[in-house]
Amino acid sequence: MAKRDSFLLRIPPELLDAIRRWADDEFRSVNSQIEMILARAVAQSGRAPTTNEESNEPEDPKGKKRPQRGA
């Protein structure tokens, strides 16, 4: 499994309740639901990183290699 970073997310209780209900409807954890929502938003905005199959390095949408974080 890929390494994952963790961080604290402050969110209004009403929004968290709505996400919790949505996650329950789709048989996901709240964490997985938030990750799915964020991944869709990033993809729809055109900011999702692609992977260079040869080197497994992230590329930007224009095909240029992006610097690795922590490298």
Side-chain angles (χ1 to χ4, degrees):
M1 181 178 231
K3 180 184 176 289
R4 295 176 182 259
D5 290 334
S6 62
F7 67 97
L8 177 63
L9 176 64
R10 291 179 181 88
I11 187 169
E14 301 82 15
L15 181 56
L16 181 56
D17 288 341
I19 293 171
R20 187 174 286 126
R21 288 190 307 272
W22 188 5
D24 288 345
D25 289 347
E26 297 190 6
F27 304 104
R28 287 189 176 103
S29 68
V30 171
N31 189 75
S32 292
Q33 190 70 20
I34 291 170
E35 184 177 351
M36 184 269 308
I37 293 166
L38 291 173
R40 282 185 185 173
V42 169
Q44 288 175 355
S45 72
R47 290 175 169 84
T50 58
T51 303
N52 181 336
E53 291 180 18
E54 292 178 12
S55 66
N56 253 0
E57 293 180 18
E59 295 180 350
D60 72 13
K62 297 175 186 168
K64 298 177 186 173
K65 289 185 180 180
R66 289 187 176 174
Q68 291 278 343
R69 283 195 164 185

